[in-house]
Amino acid sequence: MDGVTSNRRKEWSYRRGSEDGDLSGLQNGNMMGAHSTRTRNDGLLTAVCKLLVCSSAGVIFGIACEKGRVFEPSIIREQMLFTKFVLLKMFLSAVTSSLLCLALMSMLPFTYKKFVQARREFAKTLKTKSALSSVVGGGILGAGMTLCGSCPGMVLSQVGAGVNNAVVVLFGCFAGAALYGLMEPWVTRMTKPAEPHKIYALDQGMPTPFFFLALPLASTLAVVIFCVEHFVPWTTDLTAPNAPADSWFTMRSWPPILSGIIVGCLQVPVVLSVEDTIGASGSYCTAVSQVLVTSHLQRLSSYLSRHRKGLENWWQVFYVTGAVLGAWISSTSSETFGSVHGVSTNTAFLGGILIIFGARLAAGCTSGHGVSGMGTLSLLSFIVVPATFTGGIATAFTLKSLAVI
């Protein structure tokens, strides 16, 4: 027991060592002049390779979302109304495969340190977050998802697949990031925890390895997925049936469970390359922060300024941008590009604002808190995810009662 406890202490006290020395300057946006030219070149090459890995992962994400049909706004809305279950199947499958991949990396000696560092990176984003910000932020995110029929990671897939008004949602996301950036000091003061967090994850205070909890949770979710699929087969949830295709890739739809498994497995390349977990909402802050080119503008939002530079910020931009290409490749291969209808312009823009504002308030979106947060057993993630679906469901039934949807 003492040995296991010792390993737990090591996991949560692990700090990045000197092995990151060559890259740390690049990540901070400032290469140290004392490094040799070869060291700088090696650091740049390493960063480029990592960004290529993240872009490739984003392409796969875009393909999986497009083939799983979860990118369709009507699918997201009908999930909130419990008339279709594509989103639930794909989401739970992604969480399950994420848990399995992270559990495996926690057990292998050559991936253990990267796994621990990735968990620490996720925990760092929760320092100023509380149960209040998790509930409110999750609820706002869910309401926005119903309004615009999208989420932070899905917007780029919709753009790539040619969904009408997807670009309007995207601009709403940028507006939401700017709005949160300006309001962040006030929001943080109102919602920050009374005391610093002592425990971030379910297993942190236990003399139990991560995989002892992750594997049973993954097994439980797998049973839930099987039951949902048994009672509601995925073929009955499609908005249009699969037409005859030359190959698996040219099919219009894949089982959402398969697409979800693919998304969850993307944890592996992201953790191994940038020592972080998959997410999407932070990328909008990085994009918006690029307009803060003067010191005066940067003082307007120290929050956005912190997102301007560094590999730790830009990898996510490359990841979500890759989703555009992936969704385009997938939709053109099945000749379905531009065939999916979006939502109205007003709800698209308002929903875009809400999904990013809510995601930033909660410190993560459906990918960040759902696939990664639940995948790392983060306590606040188990608050955000139910709050998100509660907000989405309440908004959906409200709009239905008003005959808006």
Side-chain angles (χ1 to χ4, degrees):
M1 184 66 72
D2 291 341
V4 175
T5 304
S6 176
N7 287 337
R8 302 297 302 132
R9 292 198 191 101
K10 288 180 181 179
E11 178 173 332
W12 286 96
S13 64
Y14 173 72
R15 296 295 183 267
R16 188 177 291 177
S18 59
E19 67 269 19
D20 289 337
D22 290 347
L23 186 58
S24 60
L26 178 62
Q27 290 176 327
N28 292 328
N30 179 28
M31 294 295 290
M32 299 299 291
H35 289 321
S36 66
T37 301
R38 181 172 180 176
T39 301
R40 290 197 300 271
N41 290 339
D42 289 346
L44 178 60
L45 180 61
T46 300
V48 170
C49 290
K50 290 181 177 184
L51 291 176
L52 287 175
V53 170
C54 293
S55 295
S56 300
V59 171
I60 297 172
F61 174 79
I63 293 173
C65 289
E66 201 280 335
K67 292 298 185 189
R69 312 313 297 174
V70 75
F71 79 100
E72 297 186 29
S74 63
I75 288 289
I76 295 176
R77 285 182 165 183
E78 291 187 67
Q79 176 64 72
M80 300 303 183
L81 293 170
F82 300 105
T83 54
K84 292 188 184 297
F85 293 88
V86 174
L87 175 60
L88 181 64
K89 293 175 188 177
M90 184 166 174
F91 175 75
L92 292 181
S93 299
V95 176
T96 301
S97 61
S98 176
L99 281 164
L100 293 174
C101 290
L102 291 170
L104 179 62
M105 286 189 283
S106 74
M107 291 186 283
L108 298 176
F110 54 89
T111 58
Y112 175 75
K113 285 187 177 181
K114 290 184 179 292
F115 159 77
V116 172
Q117 182 60 31
R119 290 189 85 189
R120 288 190 61 250
E121 289 299 318
F122 186 86
K124 280 167 54 178
T125 66
L126 305 177
K127 286 183 178 180
T128 61
K129 302 303 176 182
S130 62
L132 176 60
S133 63
S134 298
V135 170
V136 176
I140 294 173
L141 168 61
M145 286 177 62
T146 295
L147 282 173
C148 65
S150 189
C151 66
M154 211 63 62
V155 176
L156 282 303
S157 296
Q158 292 179 339
V159 171
V163 177
N164 67 302
N165 280 337
V167 174
V168 178
V169 179
L170 180 62
F171 278 102
C173 290
F174 291 143
L179 179 62
Y180 183 79
L182 294 174
M183 294 183 62
E184 187 271 338
W186 177 80
V187 170
T188 298
R189 285 197 301 270
M190 295 293 293
T191 62
K192 67 181 180 181
E195 297 180 357
H197 294 292
K198 294 181 180 180
I199 297 177
Y200 286 93
L202 287 174
D203 63 315
Q204 187 176 353
M206 301 180 182
T208 304
F210 170 81
F211 60 84
F212 268 40
L213 295 180
L215 293 178
L217 178 57
S219 300
T220 302
L221 292 178
V223 172
V224 173
I225 296 166
F226 173 81
C227 291
V228 175
E229 176 63 24
H230 175 75
F231 290 106
V232 188
W234 71 277
T235 51
T236 65
D237 268 343
L238 297 178
T239 53
N242 271 329
D246 296 331
S247 68
W248 183 254
F249 192 75
T250 57
M251 291 176 61
R252 180 181 186 274
S253 308
W254 289 350
I257 294 175
L258 172 62
S259 295
I261 291 173
I262 293 172
V263 170
C265 288
L266 294 177
Q267 292 287 16
V268 175
V270 172
V271 170
L272 296 183
S273 60
V274 293
E275 298 181 355
D276 207 340
T277 50
I278 59 176
S281 61
S283 62
Y284 296 94
C285 295
T286 300
V288 171
S289 70
Q290 300 313 301
V291 303
L292 306 179
V293 293
T294 67
S295 58
H296 174 71
L297 288 174
Q298 291 177 31
R299 284 194 296 271
L300 289 176
S301 176
S302 58
Y303 176 82
L304 290 177
S305 296
R306 294 195 296 271
H307 286 79
R308 289 190 73 236
K309 298 179 180 180
L311 184 65
E312 69 275 12
N313 292 316
W314 277 97
W315 78 260
Q316 208 173 93
V317 176
F318 279 75
Y319 175 78
V320 298
T321 303
V324 179
L325 177 60
W328 178 81
I329 292 172
S330 181
S331 60
T332 53
S333 70
S334 58
E335 299 181 349
T336 58
F337 178 83
S339 63
V340 174
H341 296 291
V343 300
S344 67
T345 303
N346 291 337
T347 54
F349 188 73
L350 177 59
I353 293 175
L354 292 181
I355 59 176
I356 295 301
F357 191 93
R360 288 294 83 205
L361 175 57
C365 58
T366 45
S367 293
H369 272 299
V371 181
S372 295
M374 292 179 66
T376 58
L377 303 182
S378 169
L379 289 172
L380 288 181
S381 297
F382 286 97
I383 298 175
V384 173
V385 173
T388 298
F389 280 96
T390 300
I393 292 167
T395 303
F397 278 96
T398 300
L399 294 179
K400 185 178 181 181
S401 68
L402 297 173
V404 175
I405 61 175

